Amino acid sequence: MKDVLEEKVPPGEVEAARALEPERVSPKRVAAVIAALVLSALIMILNETVLTVALPNLMADLGIQATTAQWLTTGFMLTMAVVIPTTGFMLQRFTTKSLFVTAMLLFIVGTALATIAPIFAVLLIARIVQAGGTAIILPLLMTTTLTSVPVQHRGTMMGLNSVVISVAPAIGPTLSGAVIDSLNWRWVFGLMIPVAFIVFLFGVFAIKTGKETRKAPLDVLSVVLSAFAFGGIVYALSSIADLLEGAWAPLVALVVGVISLVLFVNRQRARRRTESDLLDLRPFKVHNFRISVVIVMIAMATMLGTVMVMPIFMQNGMGLSTLTIGLALLPGGLIQGPP
């Protein structure tokens, strides 16, 4: 793998890479850089779903209902939906190393706070801080792969990255089930801290980038529109069950989200002429890309919805142990792995 990654990028690819990201990553460091980013992404994405098996225990410990506990995952997703659209600006404005350090510190601080959280509000804040780090590291991994790996091997590396992104959240419940069965839900976070710290130190020494950055413009209105668009839609979908109880908030959030999304897309198309758009939406012109995005969305929504609801039903309704629940959810994670 190291020999593959260290091959020289063809001359024509150098300028294209610099156009996407103005940093220069030494070919000798590419393997270590990708490894650090993949490991950090694995830990952070795994963190998305580790609480699902712990929810029944957590609900009893903190004295909250299931509708409240679900915000630990919903709040995580909402934060990612708001932060990820701004990462295009951050990737141009800051170096890979500075973004990596920021993302890992956010994750470590959030994880430590979650470990000692005395009440639900503190735990929710901790999850939001964790999500901020996760939202930075995922685009950073993809961008670094596209700009550092030779074009003939990018498909393979992007495929491996996708395996991490799809499998990690699926096996999270299994790992957390084993931990909770022996210890308690706080150790799900506690055990992550030393692992994350080791990856952090590895990345600090492995990632050596130049100081070149691009003073990219930040369209504040686009950021606001993206927050209302993605945040509104995610909130509406996550609280849609409240409609059965007569609540109008999910419907209002959905309408606001859809309208904001339309305005956001139109603004990006208009600002593309001056290359000052927040997100480049041109890939959506490719038919296969659009279909792939829809399929991934449906698959991830199904998986995340299942790992949220099933543990609560299996423990509170069927009286199963957390370890049994984690093992029951394992086949789904294995199916999403590589053939």
Side-chain angles (χ1 to χ4, degrees):
M1 180 62 70
K2 183 175 180 180
D3 293 336
V4 170
L5 291 175
E6 289 185 351
E7 290 184 13
K8 292 184 178 180
V9 180
E13 294 297 318
V14 174
E15 295 302 324
R18 291 177 181 173
L20 289 173
E21 184 179 86
E23 300 181 39
R24 296 192 183 100
V25 181
S26 173
K28 296 181 180 180
R29 294 280 183 176
V30 173
V33 171
I34 296 295
L37 293 177
V38 167
L39 289 174
S40 58
L42 174 64
I43 297 171
M44 293 186 185
I45 301 173
L46 186 69
N47 178 71
E48 287 185 22
T49 56
V50 291
L51 270 187
T52 54
V53 173
L55 285 180
N57 302 76
L58 189 148
M59 289 159 52
D61 192 12
L62 299 180
I64 58 177
Q65 300 297 319
T67 52
T68 303
Q70 74 170 1
W71 278 100
L72 295 174
T73 297
T74 302
F76 193 99
M77 299 300 178
L78 272 173
T79 304
M80 290 187 62
V82 172
V83 176
I84 283 180
T86 67
T87 54
F89 163 78
M90 290 189 285
L91 288 170
Q92 298 179 73
R93 186 65 183 86
F94 304 102
T95 64
T96 298
K97 186 170 185 176
S98 62
L99 288 176
F100 172 82
V101 170
T102 300
M104 289 302 297
L105 287 179
L106 283 173
F107 181 77
I108 292 173
V109 170
T111 304
L113 185 60
T115 304
I116 62 174
I119 58 176
F120 173 77
V122 175
L123 183 57
L124 180 59
I125 292 174
R127 292 287 286 173
I128 292 174
V129 174
Q130 286 181 322
T134 306
I136 295 174
I137 210 70
L138 291 181
L140 184 62
L141 169 61
M142 294 301 181
T143 302
T144 303
T145 300
L146 288 173
T147 57
S148 301
V149 178
V151 63
Q152 64 268 31
H153 301 298
R154 283 182 193 162
T156 301
M157 289 306 302
M158 292 297 287
L160 293 176
N161 292 344
S162 299
V163 169
V164 172
I165 293 174
S166 61
V167 174
I171 64 175
T174 304
L175 296 179
S176 63
V179 172
I180 297 169
D181 190 65
S182 302
L183 303 168
N184 61 55
W185 65 269
R186 293 185 185 276
W187 282 96
V188 171
F189 296 111
L191 293 177
M192 282 189 181
I193 296 177
V195 178
F197 189 70
I198 292 173
V199 174
F200 170 73
L201 293 178
F202 172 60
V204 167
F205 288 103
I207 301 176
K208 306 290 184 181
T209 58
K211 297 181 179 179
E212 295 182 21
T213 57
R214 179 184 303 171
K215 292 185 178 180
L218 177 63
D219 184 17
V220 178
L221 181 56
S222 292
V223 175
V224 174
L225 288 174
S226 68
F228 278 102
F230 302 118
I233 293 175
V234 171
Y235 172 81
L237 294 177
S238 64
S239 57
I240 195 170
D242 294 343
L243 289 174
L244 300 177
E245 300 178 0
W248 287 91
L251 185 59
V252 172
L254 181 61
V255 173
V256 172
V258 171
I259 294 175
S260 299
L261 182 60
V262 172
L263 295 175
F264 175 78
V265 171
N266 290 335
R267 186 167 181 81
Q268 303 317 296
R269 294 175 62 183
R271 295 184 67 86
R272 172 95 296 259
R273 303 187 187 98
T274 59
E275 296 186 354
S276 59
D277 50 337
L278 186 65
L279 285 179
D280 187 352
L281 302 178
R282 288 178 297 176
F284 284 95
K285 293 181 180 180
V286 180
H287 175 74
N288 288 344
F289 179 79
R290 294 196 303 269
I291 298 299
S292 300
V293 169
V294 172
I295 293 174
V296 170
M297 286 175 58
I298 295 174
M300 292 299 291
T302 303
M303 186 270 291
L304 290 174
T306 301
V307 298
M308 273 290 298
V309 177
M310 287 299 292
I312 298 177
F313 168 73
M314 295 176 74
Q315 182 163 344
N316 293 347
M318 303 177 65
L320 300 177
S321 67
T322 53
L323 179 59
T324 303
I325 296 171
L327 292 174
L329 296 176
L330 181 59
L334 296 177
I335 291 175
Q336 294 194 59

